[in-house]
């Protein structure tokens, strides 16, 4: 006799991975519930992707106004209403999280409010009630990693959540500990708002995973905008005083120590999977020492009816990866032949200009044994970039020499994240550089730069001297 359960699928966590999984499972005719202890939307909608991009946009408008006189547009003295800025940002978040709630209702997904904790492999407790399900999808996400010696108070020393609340006045001196995506995005926000910003990174290079040439160009631009960058530097401790936060910095190579004073310090040294309170062991689910719950390509944990998606499953911790994995898990449960088999997962730093990449870097391709060719098209040769006053950056294409197979695309420039869609599709379709070069792109567009980078692979780009 088949055992009866309250739900076919119970999703734990309503972030991007979780709500995508819940909605797709419901679309496929399954009875679905989604448990969430906080507001639906997860880190991404509430304190991550969306509010960060709102602040980035506001900062970019401030920066753009400073250069408007170049084409004859002048303003009076700039004034920033911090309360209105924070309210505008929060309004976007509220609208989007409310939209997810409405989608749950429209798709008949039951929203269970509270922390879900396993009692056994088919039962969880949410609040003071218990629920059973034939299948579970764990989508509990991640949280900011801590740094010893720097206690986050979310006012003067903040993590990515606290940094979203812009103080009034804007801090004159800002330290960002961590030269990854989060560190650079907040550095860009605060720099545009008027702070003097310094980024420190423990490793020899910033933005790990991105192409070396792209990172070199990107950091050159960030420095030109006024952001100070120090690699192989670590923060040992911080002391709050009346005149600011005194931070002891250490040169990793030499051991030399100095103390610098800042008004706000951001700790952005990565994120860690969130499994606290899940009680996964009660369901027999394996959790690694680092807190991840490993999954196979069909998003199954070691317990076949318990699936795992998003940050809690594996790196990279990206919302778009979580979304795809959520769809895969739901479709597998519904009996579909789904699998997470993406050729490559895009990465983006949403500064201005943006840094975006997908596929192999030039060095990664060489390390894998490919005989590599590259094509680079500088945005300084793009008519559309000139009209946008955004000629810093380039498009770089990494290609296998003998087959012309596209291996990776790396972009520094305006709207690089939007240009990356074409590159991602090309990689998934096993396209060649010639396929892209033969495709008519609208003129004048930034997208033409992708075409010209493909042409540059064969030294046939029209608007640059091919070497």
């Amino acid at each position: 006799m088949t055992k009866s359960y309250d739900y076919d699928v119970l999703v734990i966590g309503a972030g991007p991975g979780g709500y995508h999984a819940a909605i797709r499972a419901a679309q496929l005719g399954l009875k679905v519930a989604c448990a969430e202890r906080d507001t639906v939307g997860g880190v991404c909608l509430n304190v991550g992707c969306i509010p960060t991009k709102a602040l980035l946009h506001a900062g970019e408008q401030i920066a753009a106004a400073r250069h408007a006189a170049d084409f004859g547009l002048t303003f009076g003295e700039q004034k920033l209403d911090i309360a209105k800025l924070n309210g505008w940002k929060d309004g976007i978040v509220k609208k989007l999280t409310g939209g997810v709630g409405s989608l749950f209702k429209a798709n008949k997904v039951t929203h269970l409010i509270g922390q879900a904790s396993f009692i056994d492999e088919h039962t969880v407790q949410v609040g003071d009630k218990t629920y059973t399900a034939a299948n579970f999808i764990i989508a509990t996400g991640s949280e900011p990693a801590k740094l010893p010696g720097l206690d986050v108070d979310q006012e003067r020393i903040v993590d990515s959540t606290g940094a979203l609340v812009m103080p009034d006045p804007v801090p004159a001196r800002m330290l960002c500990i961590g030269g990854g995506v989060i560190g650079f995005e907040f550095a860009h926000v605060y720099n545009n708002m008027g702070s003097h910003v310094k980024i420190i990174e423990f490793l020899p290079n910033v933005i790990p995973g991105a192409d070396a040439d792209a990172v070199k160009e990107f950091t050159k631009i960030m420095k030109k905008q006024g952001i100070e960058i120090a690699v192989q530097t670590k923060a040992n401790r911080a002391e709050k005083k009346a005149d600011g936060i005194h931070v002891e910095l250490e040169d990793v190579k030499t051991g030399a120590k100095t103390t610098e004073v800042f008004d706000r310090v951001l700790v952005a040294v990565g994120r860690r999977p969130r499994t606290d309170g899940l009680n996964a062991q009660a369901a027999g689910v394996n959790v690694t020492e680092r807190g991840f719950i490993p999954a196979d390509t069909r998003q199954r944990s070691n317990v076949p009816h318990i699936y795992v998606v998003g940050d809690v499953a594996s790196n990279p911790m990206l919302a778009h990866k979580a979304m795809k994995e959520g769809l895969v898990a739901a479709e597998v449960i519904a009996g579909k032949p789904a699998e997470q088999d993406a050729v490559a997962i895009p990465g983006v730093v949403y500064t201005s200009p943006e840094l975006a990449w997908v596929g192999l870097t030039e060095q990664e391709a060489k390390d894998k044994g490919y005989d590599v060719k590259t094509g680079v098209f500088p945005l300084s040769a793009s008519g559309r970039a000139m009209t946008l006053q955004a000629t810093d950056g380039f498009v770089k294409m990494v290609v296998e020499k003998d087959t012309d197979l596209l291996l990776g695309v790396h972009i520094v420039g305006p709207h690089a994240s939007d240009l990356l869609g074409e590159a991602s599709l090309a990689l998934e379709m096993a396209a060649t550089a010639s396929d892209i070069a033969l495709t008519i792109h609208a003129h004048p567009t930034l997208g033409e730069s992708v075409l010209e980078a493909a042409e540059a692979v064969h030294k046939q780009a029209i608007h640059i001297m091919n070497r």
Side-chain angles (χ1 to χ4, degrees), residues 51-66 78 80 85-86 88-89 166 188-189 192-193:
T52 308
K53 304 312 165 283
L55 289 180
L56 282 162
H57 174 70
E60 285 159 13
Q61 300 313 300
I62 293 171
R66 296 184 188 129
Q78 287 188 349
L80 179 59
L85 171 67
N86 285 324
W88 169 74
K89 167 194 55 125
M166 184 63 64
H188 195 63
V189 168
N192 281 336
M193 298 287 179

Side-chain angles (χ1 to χ4, degrees), residues 399-443:
V399 173
E400 184 180 25
K401 186 175 182 179
D402 291 341
T403 64
D404 200 35
L405 181 70
L406 183 65
L407 301 175
V409 177
H410 310 272
I411 306 173
V412 180
H415 303 290
S417 56
D418 299 318
L419 298 180
L420 210 60
E422 176 182 7
S424 298
L425 179 61
L427 283 167
E428 286 289 341
M429 300 292 290
T432 63
S434 296
D435 290 328
I436 296 173
L438 290 168
T439 301
I440 297 175
H441 290 61
H443 174 79

